[in-house]
Amino acid sequence: MRALVFTGPGRAEVLDVPAPVAGDGHVVIDVERVGVCGTDLELLGGDMSYFRTGVSAYPLRPGHEWCGVVTALGPGVDESWLGRRVTGDTMIGCGTCRRCLAGRHHVCEFRSELGIRGGMPGALAAQLAFPAAYLHALPPSIDPAAGAMVEPGGNALRCVSALELTAGERLLVLGTGTIGLLVAMFARARGISVHLLAEKADFVTLPRSLGFPDVWTRDTLPSLPWDGIVDASTGQDIPALALELIEPGRRVVYIGLAHEPSRVDTRELVLKDVTAVGILGASAGLPGAISAYADGSVDPRNLIAATVSLDGIVDVLAGRRPPGSGPKVHVDPSLEG
């Protein structure tokens, strides 16, 4: 079958690779749609810290935002999975360590991350082998485009839940990329008053077109009490800005990763009695994201700029992005050219 392979820093190729086989406890999935995100770009560029720690290595097959249909079952897998549209958890724990047994498999020391670490081939391919224990069924109301947005949606929902805000309270989202906009959507669905901070004036148009009138830049940000802040940016100075702006006694949630180390003054954290929360992975947020997409309270599909083929995504990764206003590019492996 054909699959996207990162063969080295800056090198992305579509290659013929062996088709997957459903081993014990696994299924084979015909992949319908895959999203490409900043993590994939870090992997392609060789910037990901996982290369330095040795848990990731080239060649690497990426793709962790996906959906598809189960077409083959391995031994020990419930037959009801066959023919179902599914997505799955990116974080695959060992299942036996202290963290896994406590329900924290997403931070298991020995985990694999689909298409990212541990050598587990990702979904940017015609087919995917995947452990059935980490599958999530998608209802008929969720199409492939929304299905491949469940993983980023789960991350965003975890951010909103971690804020512990109530309806009517004011949230500031720092960043207007995919995660920042999904955070805004999930927060709005809970009745939270949402404001966004865009990196540039050019970046205010899309959030406003999605029904968020309160989009600001650093120069125009009003002086308001912020009951919760989510840093979904990659700016090195933004984590400190979030701590500066947050109301005392409230919460800042960090999910964005800067390209260089960020500094936060913990004296300010203590003296303002602020709770800082880090979010890694969508695991606990996946069921809620699926429910919100299914009932229509959140619709992520307006964030998709274009859907291209496997060959087309090579061009996108090389900087030749197709026209479209959304931050997300999807891949349909069945497309030609």
Side-chain angles (χ1 to χ4, degrees):
M1 68 170 185
R2 302 175 77 238
L4 182 70
V5 183
F6 294 163
T7 55
R11 299 200 301 272
E13 304 176 57
V14 178
L15 301 176
D16 288 324
V17 301
V21 176
D24 287 353
H26 283 62
V27 302
V28 171
I29 295 147
D30 284 359
V31 179
E32 294 182 300
R33 200 67 58 90
V34 192
V36 175
C37 81
T39 298
D40 299 310
L41 295 175
E42 283 190 84
L43 291 167
L44 175 60
D47 303 318
M48 188 71 140
S49 62
Y50 287 171
F51 288 113
R52 294 192 294 275
T53 58
V55 295
S56 295
Y58 297 114
L60 184 147
R61 284 175 44 193
H64 61 278
E65 302 177 2
W66 62 275
C67 79
V69 175
V70 176
T71 54
L73 308 176
V77 177
D78 191 316
E79 292 184 1
S80 66
W81 284 114
L82 193 63
R84 300 185 77 174
R85 176 171 289 143
V86 296
T87 188
D89 199 334
T90 299
M91 308 301 210
I92 313 299
C94 72
T96 59
C97 73
R98 182 172 180 267
R99 295 174 193 172
C100 284
L101 295 175
R104 293 181 283 119
H105 70 273
H106 65 294
V107 289
C108 168
E109 181 181 358
F110 311 105
R111 72 185 180 275
S112 295
E113 296 181 21
L114 181 73
I116 300 173
R117 64 176 270 171
M120 190 174 184
L124 278 162
Q127 291 185 310
L128 170 69
F130 194 80
Y134 290 87
L135 288 172
H136 289 262
L138 299 177
S141 58
I142 295 183
D143 65 11
M149 295 292 287
V150 168
E151 194 277 343
N155 278 282
L157 181 55
R158 285 194 65 209
C159 292
V160 174
S161 297
L163 291 165
E164 297 187 353
L165 295 177
T166 58
E169 291 191 299
R170 187 181 295 114
L171 165 64
L172 178 63
V173 182
L174 307 177
T176 55
T178 299
I179 296 297
L181 292 172
L182 284 169
V183 167
M185 290 178 175
F186 280 101
R188 178 172 61 186
R190 295 187 176 190
I192 295 166
S193 174
V194 178
H195 295 244
L196 295 106
L197 182 69
E199 181 183 2
K200 302 175 183 177
D202 294 347
F203 294 172
V204 306
T205 303
L206 177 60
R208 287 178 178 167
S209 74
L210 297 172
F212 297 100
D214 297 315
V215 189
W216 317 100
T217 63
R218 293 281 284 269
D219 293 335
T220 63
L221 184 68
S223 179
L224 295 170
W226 306 108
D227 301 310
I229 294 180
V230 173
D231 174 15
S233 78
T234 57
Q236 186 179 6
D237 64 330
I238 300 300
L241 176 66
L243 181 56
E244 175 188 333
L245 294 175
I246 189 67
E247 275 286 281
R250 304 311 297 262
R251 291 181 166 231
V252 175
V253 174
Y254 293 106
I255 189 169
L257 292 174
H259 298 298
E260 299 293 335
S262 301
R263 293 190 175 185
V264 169
D265 188 342
T266 57
R267 294 172 299 181
E268 188 170 3
L269 189 78
V270 171
L271 293 173
K272 292 182 72 173
D273 195 28
V274 167
T275 299
V277 181
I279 297 293
L280 174 68
S283 301
L286 295 172
I290 291 169
S291 295
Y293 293 175
D295 67 23
S297 58
V298 174
D299 186 348
R301 291 172 294 183
N302 287 334
L303 304 185
I304 302 168
T307 300
V308 301
S309 65
L310 281 171
D311 294 300
I313 202 63
V314 174
D315 289 336
V316 173
L317 292 169
R320 296 182 288 275
R321 184 181 172 89
S325 60
K328 181 65 66 178
V329 174
H330 273 185
V331 175
D332 179 346
S334 70
L335 293 176
E336 298 292 333

